[in-house]
Amino acid sequence: MKQMLQQCKRILLIALALTLAVGAVPALAKSRTINGAGATFPFPVYSQWAYQYYRVAKVRLNYQSIGSGGGIRQIKAKTVDFGASDAPLKPADLEAAGLLQFPMIMGGVVPVVNVPGISAGQLKLSGQLLADIFQGKISKWNDARIRADNQGLALPDQAITVVHRSDGSGTTWIFTNYLTKVSSSWAKEIGNNKAVNWPVGVGGKGNEGVASYVQRVKGSIGYVEYAYALQNKMNHVLLKNSDGNYVAPTSETFQAAAAGADWANAKGYYMVLTNQPGENSWPITGASFILMYKNQVKPETARAVLSFFDWCYKNGGEIANNLDYVPMPAKVVDMVEATWRQEIKASGKPVWK
Amino acid sequence: MQTHRRFDWDPVFHVLTLGGGLVLMLVVGAIFWELWQGSQLSLEKFGWSFLVTETWDPVSETFGAASTIYGTLVSTLIAMLIAVPLSLAIALFLVELAPPRVSALVGGGIELLAAIPSIIYGMWGLFVFAPFMSETVQPLLAHIPGPFFTGTPMGIGMLSAGFILALMILPFITAVTRDIFRMVPAVVKESAYGMGSTTWEVTRKVTIPYGIQGIIGACFLGLGRAIGETMAVTFVIGNRHEISASLFAAGNSIASTLANEFTEASEDLYLSSLVELGLVLFGLTLLLQILAQWWLKRTRRKMGGGL
């Protein structure tokens, strides 16, 4: 019995030593790291920015692209320094949680089709028509209403297969936000969220899932982020914007949509860039947002986070453009930084100067 | 006395194994408790109707599990219908008929199949198998009358998911049944041969009855894997919250719904409903386990069997 006790003691000692050794490792690695979590849509550009920023400032960004929902939960649980969300939080929700929200990067959502005989930029659709297709009200490509807007296009007698996202996503949020704005029947029956009750069609996981389904199924229509449409050389459609012009998805038309937006009067930067006025505005444009606490406990960390975002706003434009994202206009950046000065505080003192 | 000084490991071993068993029970209990707690909101709101409601609408926050339960069961059923006879045939071939060298080679290949991660099956299913289905298999099946093979042959849907699942569980069932067939004592088989039985008769009347309990166990191992399979199914099932008689149509399973929607579910009720889906899957698996135990007992009474 005595021997057994001794043996147990020895095992315990070894276990204790191991625990201490493991515990010591993170303490050593703890140089300067800022933590964020959230939206997947801007992840490629955030990670590029983080890579470049580490080279100039020696500050590491640990960004987990776990989805906007997860990002919001993590910032509320205070396990990260900032959260990221594709859909803006309502001003009332921000107020209740004591959070500040600002836009970081923009992108566009592009309807893509796979219809035999139709190449990129040939098919013209109005918002109403797009909504009716996604609602299953128009089920054939040679429907009279599609033909009316596309004189001279040889539209086949083929069933339309709608392809949507199966996972909850900011892309779906932006897309359904647009459909809600342009179609009253969509607004009434389906609505706007990161996942909705799709009346027809099949769901692909992620942009790559939708892209591959659309490429697979003849007669299909789906929606993907601009970058995916470009990289997969998919056939985009022309959309009728709120000024009545048919526009193609390009950086210029996304920027036109952002330029026309009235950020100054958007409380809590709650701004959705869909269906914006302007003759060149792409109607399905959206921004991705950052969430931070107004009241910071650790001012150094908060300053490090804001310095990173400041660097991204000022030096990250080219990286964003290369990845087919749209940087925020300088005017909006100035407004955002003014907000930082006023709102983000640590023990009553502003963190950002 | 030499034996007097030797350390007695038995109590240590006893405590260790007992601890292992208790931890297992504790983990199962904790999982159930967490799922139960997490789904309170949804349980209160929807009650039992959650199980029979087909609607899954995150906008109006109306949730029901019917379509996902249906999808889980149907895709698993298709997988079992294909995989079980095929695995039995392969295992019998490997043990009874194949020359040793072929048996070793094929056996190795099957074990390799079991080691492939499920995401690879998913990718392969989406990029290779789905086009094959839509261009070759589905147009052929469409000739069969009835409601099961109608609609656009997209190559994605319940049937494809069932096929992929069958492929995934095949190696498990085959490997276990092969080992079971090997354990049938040669004496028993040889006596049957000695009485003039053919290979087919020995297989049917000696080998299979002898190992029947193990075979059922192997099938339930495969079933358990199929019912909870996530990524591979998500890629090919089409992810649609709707019950459709056609196997060409897109469907949904509990596991793939969780994989799809968990990350972006920020509303409390939405999240709670997803957790309740997990609870339903937990219950479903438990139910199947009980069923398996009952069935095993029954076959033991009816057929005897040595394993």
Side-chain angles (χ1 to χ4, degrees), chain B residues 63-85:
Chain B
F63 300 104
S67 69
T68 51
I69 295 173
Y70 173 82
T72 306
L73 293 178
V74 170
S75 61
T76 307
L77 185 73
I78 298 172
M80 295 300 282
L81 283 179
I82 299 167
V84 170

Side-chain angles (χ1 to χ4, degrees), chain B residues 28 216-227 281-297:
Chain B
V28 172
I216 294 173
C219 293
F220 274 95
L221 188 75
L223 184 83
R225 192 173 151 88
I227 211 163
L281 188 61
F282 190 93
L284 213 61
T285 325
L286 195 72
L287 209 71
L288 281 166
Q289 283 302 326
I290 293 169
L291 202 75
Q293 293 299 331
W294 172 78
W295 196 16
L296 274 178
K297 250 188 205 145

Side-chain angles (χ1 to χ4, degrees), chain A residues 57-69:
Chain A
K58 298 284 169 236
V59 173
R60 243 181 246 284
L61 169 69
N62 169 23
Y63 182 76
Q64 311 155 28
S65 62
I66 53 172
S68 306

Side-chain angles (χ1 to χ4, degrees), chain A residues 3-5 7 39-40 66-73 86 159 161 164 166-170 189-205 208-209 212-213 216-218, chain B residues 5-9 11-12 55-60 125-128 130-131 134-135 152 154-156 231 234-242 250 259-267 270-271:
Chain A
Q3 263 170 334
M4 190 175 148
L5 268 178
Q7 201 121 9
T40 47
I66 53 172
S68 306
I72 294 167
R73 275 200 298 279
D86 283 334
T161 302
H164 53 76
S166 64
D167 47 339
S169 94
E189 285 162 40
I190 293 149
N192 175 205
N193 208 335
K194 285 179 275 194
V196 299
N197 186 17
W198 298 97
V200 289
V202 292
K205 183 159 169 57
E208 60 280 9
S212 74
Y213 279 18
R216 160 98 2 89
V217 182
K218 284 200 177 66
Chain B
R5 291 181 56 82
R6 220 168 64 197
F7 179 68
D8 184 11
W9 279 98
V12 180
T55 318
W56 185 268
D57 187 346
V59 180
S60 67
L126 181 58
F127 293 114
V128 182
S134 75
E135 281 151 28
T152 327
M154 293 181 292
I156 302 150
M231 284 326 283
T234 308
F235 271 87
V236 292
I237 201 164
N239 304 298
R240 173 154 189 70
H241 290 287
E242 196 177 73
N260 273 322
E261 301 186 21
F262 208 78
T263 47
E264 293 287 339
S266 34
E267 295 86 359
Y270 191 6
L271 198 64

Side-chain angles (χ1 to χ4, degrees), chain A residues 113 115-118 122-125 140-158 160:
Chain A
V113 294
V115 187
I118 297 204
Q122 281 192 322
L123 189 70
K124 292 178 186 166
L125 292 175
K140 287 264 179 163
W141 281 112
N142 62 353
D143 189 279
R145 289 176 58 204
I146 303 181
R147 278 206 315 248
D149 286 0
N150 292 281
Q151 304 287 347
L153 258 191
L155 287 154
D157 176 24
Q158 185 151 29
I160 299 177

Side-chain angles (χ1 to χ4, degrees), chain B residues 72 86 104 111-112 121 123 175 190 228 235 282 289:
Chain B
T72 306
L86 212 57
E111 269 146 33
L112 200 68
Y121 278 102
M123 304 288 271
E190 275 158 16
F235 271 87
F282 190 93
Q289 283 302 326

Side-chain angles (χ1 to χ4, degrees), chain A residues 153-228:
Chain A
L153 258 191
L155 287 154
D157 176 24
Q158 185 151 29
I160 299 177
T161 302
V162 166
V163 182
H164 53 76
R165 287 282 288 268
S166 64
D167 47 339
S169 94
T171 313
T172 300
W173 194 92
I174 294 168
F175 187 70
T176 53
N177 181 278
Y178 171 65
L179 296 185
T180 305
K181 280 183 182 169
V182 293
S183 159
S184 56
S185 97
W186 183 278
K188 210 167 71 206
E189 285 162 40
I190 293 149
N192 175 205
N193 208 335
K194 285 179 275 194
V196 299
N197 186 17
W198 298 97
V200 289
V202 292
K205 183 159 169 57
N207 279 295
E208 60 280 9
V210 172
S212 74
Y213 279 18
V214 169
Q215 281 162 332
R216 160 98 2 89
V217 182
K218 284 200 177 66
S220 60
I221 181 166
Y223 59 92
V224 291
E225 276 155 24
Y226 177 56
Y228 277 87

